Amino acid sequence: MPVFDSAGVKIHYQEAGAGEAVMLVHGFASTAEHNWGGTGWIAALSEKYRVIALDVRGHGLSDKPRAPESYGYASMGADVTRLMDHLGIHRAILMGYSMGASIAIELMLSRPERFRAIVLGGIAYDDGLEDKADRDAIAEAYRADNSATIKSPVAKAYRRFAESMPNDLKALAALIDAERAPFDPAKLAAVGIPVLIVVGTNDIAIGDPKPLAKMIPGARLVMLDGRDHMTAPSDQRFKEAVIEFLRAAP
């Protein structure tokens, strides 16, 4: 399995295909293989593109630090650009889902010269975890020795999903505890990169995606009828929308 050192953190990634590079960044408590491999994205995009999907720090086969200061969108975004440097990729297409989309927004604002087009999936300006009480409940659920003691239904659901993957619950708790702040609307309004946002109509895990789409000049919003946060990634309509968008993006 290919790995590289990202400022002291081992990051695992997988690669397929040839052509223009597409960087894939998965969602919280997921993995590159679960989010992108099992849903058919790597196979679909690698027909035309060089696809690189990394396990975000704290996930999958990458290192899993247990300190909150090891996380944050800036640190996780830096892993993406360091991987690009490691592979000799100057400029790429960037696609993120859920937490991965937040990381993509961070890169869109901080390193716009590295990307020619960006796809944001399962994301809104309010990503559903802006409330500190919710975040604290989820982090507490990850630290609980016995899941039966967890009272919050939302926290229980997060724990169940995390336990279905090769996760370190203490590392995920640290990620939840990391400092976070809303993205600056003024910076979003200055974005000059083509952006596609794709969200399921039944996605109750996040807020309304329309305000985010309005904040980003020229952003296109596609709503997948009948899909929720967990089922949207595997939808063929999602892939068709992305392939059409990338073909048309200058």
Side-chain angles (χ1 to χ4, degrees), residues 124-156:
Y125 186 70
D126 175 359
D127 67 4
L129 278 179
E130 295 302 326
D131 187 272
K132 189 175 186 302
D134 288 342
R135 300 202 309 275
D136 288 346
I138 295 167
E140 183 179 343
Y142 287 149
R143 293 191 178 98
D145 292 330
N146 184 353
S147 60
T149 64
I150 302 169
K151 296 179 180 179
S152 165
V154 172
K156 280 186 178 181

Side-chain angles (χ1 to χ4, degrees), residues 21 48 52 78 86 135 137 140 142 145 156 165 182 193 209 236:
K48 182 177 179 181
I52 300 103
H86 174 73
R135 300 202 309 275
E140 183 179 343
Y142 287 149
D145 292 330
K156 280 186 178 181
M165 302 285 168
I193 304 170
Q236 181 61 27

Side-chain angles (χ1 to χ4, degrees), residues 156-243:
K156 280 186 178 181
Y158 268 82
R159 169 123 178 190
R160 280 196 302 271
F161 180 72
E163 289 180 326
S164 72
M165 302 285 168
N167 283 311
D168 179 327
L169 297 183
K170 301 297 191 295
L172 293 183
L175 195 161
I176 287 283
D177 286 340
E179 290 292 326
R180 57 189 286 143
F183 293 109
D184 185 347
K187 291 183 178 179
L188 291 171
V191 169
I193 304 170
V195 174
L196 172 68
I197 302 171
V198 183
V199 176
T201 58
N202 295 342
D203 191 339
I204 60 172
I206 61 170
D208 182 359
K210 296 182 183 66
L212 177 63
K214 290 179 180 177
M215 291 178 189
I216 302 171
R220 180 188 173 199
L221 174 62
V222 172
M223 302 295 294
L224 300 175
D225 188 46
R227 291 297 189 173
D228 60 24
H229 201 69
M230 301 302 292
T231 60
S234 61
D235 195 304
Q236 181 61 27
R237 294 170 296 176
F238 195 164
K239 297 180 182 68
E240 291 170 357
V242 168
I243 290 170

